[in-house]
């Protein structure tokens, strides 16, 4: 008694105007691709078992990510013939509606337009007319006063085409009584639960019994609905796949709400690393001044201990992370394997012949996408561990860096620092927070830059060199001007202070070559200039240096580094 079963099933799951309201979803329908996704889980490279600076990120990670992306696109764009036709029809209807100016219509005009738009997929005149009525508050109030049975009967009659078998059947008093009886039973949660557990054959048997109770049998249904024989139905093939999909989705959703051992371990590592870094920051020695080699040595040794402790923490977690990843992968494979098996059993939905099952194609495609996302999660975790390996190696490089004392790199007290507006100020008078001129290499422009601090050194007699810049060697002591018009400059500084070159590298004053391009302030820009002479200039008891946001500043018009 399949025709009766279909009729009652329609009453059970009636969703008013679903075809009308969900038409846009047709164009987004998906279809599974013929790929065993579970095989991809074994293609994901495992995280490294130990840290090593010779380790390279496996090329398979990028290749697998690309493959996952291609599969995702294929699932999204694949279409059954029916979906393709519906998408084409919908696209044509949308283009026509746009050309007719539907976006400028009122809601009532849109409804009237859609009522006439028989070319729209899934539409018919009865559906459009009912949708228009649903906009009327009086109609909504009338509908709200009806019982469930009256509402279902009324709406079915409204949506049925005039003279159709559906209209004749819904108008039959015995059918209406059976319908009301069934809907009353469905109000009971226990009945709903029991009904959901019944097989299709059991539901058919119950429906037949209910129909007979109200005086209907197969013959009487046919006499009311008409004698047009129904097309034979093929077997239902998606039930097992849908059940496996539901089980898989429930398990994956549950794990997302309750973090896995792998997620908990990752969170614990992050928390412990942050706590360690905060503790180290609280214990950190103050930065030693340039020239204070003993103080710098103490800071250097402390930093090495900090680096070593962070590496130890990483090494403690790595074996646990790798083991948790392996267990998590096995768990994911176990959760998705039944769905993959059932999906393959119906040849990735190619076996679906019944029209009422074709709506299951898109959800099954979504399940396949869900499996791919789980593969991607494993790829992401392996990639993250290789990132952790890079951090480990960066710490190792810092740990292995030999100690080198930073000597004072400075200027005498009278060195003139360029300020905005063409002004200059002796370096000993500049203070933190003052604004001086610096240079933005990316923009190729002279810019204001804030002074972060002023370094002052008075612990020794500091040697100085005098650089003559901007005049040919022959005329440096006679004519302080180049043929180009740039003024010659004499610059006093410690031998180790860096000067900024035109290629943005730096060179110590005592290693500067006459072929090196220096940058000289000229109005609001810079011009290239060169060293022409260098001489020892004795010593001074105090030297000064600025630390600026730009990392540079101008002294006697020449661009120098902050350190």
């Amino acid at each position: 008694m399949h025709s009766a079963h279909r009729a009652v099933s329609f009453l059970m799951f009636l969703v008013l105007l679903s075809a009308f309201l969900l038409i846009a979803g047709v164009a987004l329908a998906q279809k599974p691709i013929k790929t065993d996704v579970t095989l991809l889980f074994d293609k994901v490279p495992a995280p490294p078992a130990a840290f090593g600076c010779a380790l390279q990120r496996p090329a398979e990670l990028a290749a697998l990510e690309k493959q996952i992306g291609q599969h995702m696109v294929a699932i999204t764009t694949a279409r059954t013939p029916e979906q393709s036709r519906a998408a084409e029809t919908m696209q044509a209807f949308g283009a026509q509606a746009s050309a007719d100016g539907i976006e400028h219509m009122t809601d009532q005009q849109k409804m009237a337009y859609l009522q006439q738009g028989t070319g729209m997929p899934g539409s018919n005149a009865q559906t459009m007319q009912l949708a228009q009525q649903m906009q009327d508050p009086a109609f909504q109030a009338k509908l709200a006063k009806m019982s469930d049975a009256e509402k279902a009967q009324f709406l079915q009659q409204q949506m049925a085409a005039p003279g159709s078998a559906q209209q004749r059947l819904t108008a039959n008093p015995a059918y209406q009584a059976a319908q009301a009886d069934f809907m009353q039973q469905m109000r009971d949660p226990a009945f709903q639960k029991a009904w959901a557990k019944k097989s299709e054959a059991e539901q058919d048997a119950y429906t037949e019994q209910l129909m007979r109770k109200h005086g209907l049998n197969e013959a009487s249904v046919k006499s009311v609905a008409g004698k047009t024989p129904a097309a034979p139905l093929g077997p239902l093939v998606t039930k097992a796949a849908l059940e496996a999909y539901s089980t898989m989705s429930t398990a994956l959703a549950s794990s997302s709400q309750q973090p896995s051992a792998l997620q908990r371990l990752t969170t614990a590592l992050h928390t412990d690393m942050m706590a360690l870094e905060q503790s180290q920051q609280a214990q950190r020695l103050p930065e030693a001044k340039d020239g204070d080699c003993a103080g710098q040595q103490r800071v250097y040794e402390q930093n090495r201990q900090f680096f070593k402790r962070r590496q130890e923490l990483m090494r403690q977690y790595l074996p646990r992370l790798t083991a948790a990843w392996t267990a998590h992968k096995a768990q994911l494979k176990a959760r998705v394997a039944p769905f993959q098996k059932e999906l393959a059993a119906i040849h990735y939905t190619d076996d679906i012949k019944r029209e009422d099952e074709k709506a299951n194609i898109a959800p099954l495609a979504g399940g396949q996408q869900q499996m791919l996302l789980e593969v991607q999660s494993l790829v992401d975790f392996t990639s993250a561990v290789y990132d952790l390996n890079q951090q480990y190696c960066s710490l190792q490089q810092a740990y292995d860096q030999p100690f080198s004392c930073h000597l004072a790199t400075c200027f005498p007290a009278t060195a003139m620092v360029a300020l905005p507006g063409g002004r200059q100020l002796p370096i000993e008078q500049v203070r933190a927070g003052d604004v001086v001129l610096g240079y933005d290499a990316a923009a190729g422009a002279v810019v204001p830059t804030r002074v972060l601090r002023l370094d002052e050194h008075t612990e020794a007699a500091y040697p100085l060199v005098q650089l003559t810049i901007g005049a040919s060697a022959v005329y440096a002591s006679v004519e302080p001007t180049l043929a180009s018009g740039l003024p010659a400059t004499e610059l006093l500084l410690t031998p180790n202070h860096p000067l900024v070159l035109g290629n943005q590298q730096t060179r110590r004053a005592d290693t500067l070559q006459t072929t090196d391009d220096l940058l000289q302030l000229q109005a609001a820009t810079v011009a290239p200039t060169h060293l022409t002479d260098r001489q020892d200039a004795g010593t001074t008891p105090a030297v000064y240096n600025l630390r600026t946001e730009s990392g540079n500043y101008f002294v006697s018009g020449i661009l120098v580094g902050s350190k």
Side-chain angles (χ1 to χ4, degrees):
M1 195 170 176
H2 291 293
S3 59
H5 177 265
R6 292 200 303 272
V8 175
S9 295
F10 174 76
L11 298 179
M12 290 170 49
F13 305 109
L14 181 66
V15 179
L16 299 176
L17 306 178
S18 59
F20 173 71
L21 296 177
L22 299 178
I23 286 170
V26 172
L28 300 177
Q30 302 164 335
K31 186 177 186 298
I33 58 174
K34 296 179 180 180
T35 297
D36 186 346
V37 175
T38 57
L39 298 179
L40 298 182
F41 283 93
D42 291 326
K43 291 185 177 182
V44 182
F51 292 118
C53 296
L55 288 175
Q56 298 292 325
R57 188 184 302 268
E60 295 90 336
L61 286 174
L64 192 54
E65 283 193 293
K66 182 179 180 180
Q67 187 177 6
I68 291 170
Q70 290 171 340
H71 286 337
M72 283 289 196
V73 171
I75 294 171
T76 304
T77 56
R79 297 285 184 270
T80 64
E82 293 82 4
Q83 290 169 346
S84 297
R85 288 192 294 270
E88 291 170 1
T89 303
M90 187 62 194
Q91 185 176 10
F93 180 83
Q96 183 61 51
S98 179
D100 292 340
I102 192 171
E103 64 271 15
H104 302 299
M105 298 180 186
T106 65
D107 289 344
Q108 290 77 13
Q109 290 171 332
K110 288 178 182 177
M111 197 62 65
Y113 178 86
L114 294 174
Q115 186 175 358
Q116 298 173 3
T118 55
M120 185 170 65
S123 68
N124 57 52
Q126 289 72 38
T127 298
M128 296 302 174
Q129 182 178 6
L130 181 57
Q132 189 174 28
Q133 288 178 308
M134 291 292 285
Q135 304 298 311
D136 182 4
F139 180 84
Q140 295 176 11
K142 176 182 176 181
L143 202 63
K145 293 179 181 179
M146 296 181 184
S147 66
D148 289 343
E150 292 172 335
K151 193 180 300 181
Q153 175 189 340
F154 175 77
L155 292 175
Q156 288 179 74
Q157 290 174 344
Q158 291 291 311
M159 294 175 68
S164 66
Q166 181 184 355
Q167 187 185 57
R168 291 193 298 273
L169 185 62
T170 56
N172 182 270
Y175 182 84
Q176 293 173 6
Q179 170 187 292
D181 191 352
F182 182 80
M183 295 189 71
Q184 181 62 36
Q185 294 180 61
M186 285 297 287
R187 287 177 175 272
D188 182 2
F191 180 84
Q192 292 180 21
K193 187 175 181 180
W195 180 266
K197 293 181 177 180
K198 291 180 182 292
S199 66
E200 182 180 4
E202 291 172 333
Q203 290 180 352
D204 279 343
Y206 185 86
T207 300
E208 185 175 353
Q209 180 184 2
L210 184 65
M211 289 290 191
R212 286 176 176 170
K213 173 183 174 182
H214 293 279
L216 286 173
N217 54 31
E218 189 75 17
S220 58
V221 168
K222 287 183 178 180
S223 67
V224 173
K227 296 186 178 181
T228 303
L233 294 175
L236 289 168
V237 299
T238 61
K239 181 178 180 182
L242 288 173
E243 289 176 350
Y245 169 49
S246 176
T247 301
M248 178 186 75
S249 297
T250 300
L252 294 176
S254 176
S255 65
S256 67
Q257 295 172 359
Q258 298 179 352
S260 65
L262 181 61
Q263 292 169 325
R264 291 194 299 271
L265 202 56
T266 303
T267 301
L269 171 59
H270 176 74
T271 300
D272 287 351
M273 187 63 73
M274 290 293 295
L276 178 60
E277 291 179 1
Q278 291 173 1
S279 173
Q280 291 178 345
Q281 186 62 35
Q283 302 171 43
R284 191 175 298 280
L285 295 171
E287 183 179 358
K289 296 174 64 175
D290 289 349
D292 181 5
C293 294
Q296 292 180 36
Q297 179 78 39
R298 288 191 295 271
V299 172
Y300 168 80
E301 294 297 342
Q302 184 189 55
N303 285 335
R304 293 188 81 213
Q305 291 303 312
F306 287 171
F307 300 151
K308 184 177 181 180
R309 181 65 189 95
R310 292 180 197 177
Q311 287 183 308
E312 289 173 353
L313 183 61
M314 291 180 180
R315 287 197 299 269
Q316 290 172 11
Y317 269 93
L318 184 60
R320 298 160 62 192
L321 288 170
T322 302
W325 181 91
T326 302
H328 186 65
K329 172 185 168 181
Q331 185 182 59
L332 287 177
K333 287 181 63 179
R335 285 175 173 172
V336 305
F339 174 64
Q340 171 60 45
K341 178 182 176 181
E342 297 300 337
L343 193 60
I346 58 174
H347 297 92
Y348 302 93
T349 72
D350 283 355
D351 289 352
I352 295 178
K353 304 302 180 185
R354 287 176 52 159
E355 291 295 326
D356 57 346
E357 273 203 298
K358 289 183 178 179
N360 297 334
I361 293 175
L364 294 176
Q368 199 175 44
Q369 286 182 321
Q370 197 168 7
M371 288 194 292
L372 287 169
L373 290 175
E374 297 304 328
V375 178
Q376 182 65 55
S377 71
L378 287 176
V379 171
D380 292 341
F381 186 83
T382 295
S383 183
V385 175
Y386 275 94
D387 289 339
L388 190 66
N389 183 71
Q390 289 183 345
Q391 295 176 27
Y392 182 92
C393 292
S394 295
L395 290 171
Q396 188 64 46
Q397 290 173 0
Y399 183 88
D400 293 338
Q401 190 72 25
F403 174 73
S404 176
C405 182
H406 296 287
L407 301 176
T409 58
C410 308
F411 296 89
T414 56
M416 300 304 289
V417 177
L419 308 179
R423 296 177 297 118
Q424 297 187 90
L425 190 66
I427 192 169
E428 67 173 344
Q429 297 181 23
V430 179
R431 296 292 180 266
D434 288 351
V435 176
V436 300
L437 290 182
Y439 184 68
D440 183 345
V446 176
V447 295
T449 183
R450 189 170 301 279
V451 176
L452 301 177
R453 77 172 194 243
L454 170 68
D455 291 335
E456 179 182 6
H457 301 280
T458 59
E459 295 85 5
Y462 299 94
L464 298 174
V465 294
Q466 177 178 289
L467 304 182
T468 302
I469 299 170
S472 64
V474 176
Y475 301 108
S477 61
V478 179
E479 176 57 54
T481 303
L482 284 169
S484 64
L486 290 176
T489 298
E490 290 186 348
L491 189 62
L492 286 174
L493 68 171
T494 56
N496 59 348
H497 196 95
L499 289 90
V500 182
L501 305 183
N503 60 7
Q504 295 312 302
Q505 295 182 358
T506 59
R507 188 88 72 197
R508 285 168 54 117
D510 57 1
T511 62
L512 195 65
Q513 304 296 313
T514 57
T515 54
D516 292 327
D517 283 336
L518 298 172
L519 298 177
Q520 186 169 13
L521 184 62
Q522 188 178 29
T525 185
V526 294
T529 186
H530 298 82
L531 171 72
T532 55
D533 191 30
R534 177 174 47 233
Q535 300 289 336
D536 291 337
T539 62
T540 181
V543 288
Y544 303 83
N545 182 41
L546 302 182
R547 303 297 178 95
T548 66
E549 290 179 340
S550 65
N552 54 52
Y553 57 104
F554 290 92
V555 175
S556 298
I558 303 300
L559 187 63
V560 301
S562 280
K563 184 174 180 180

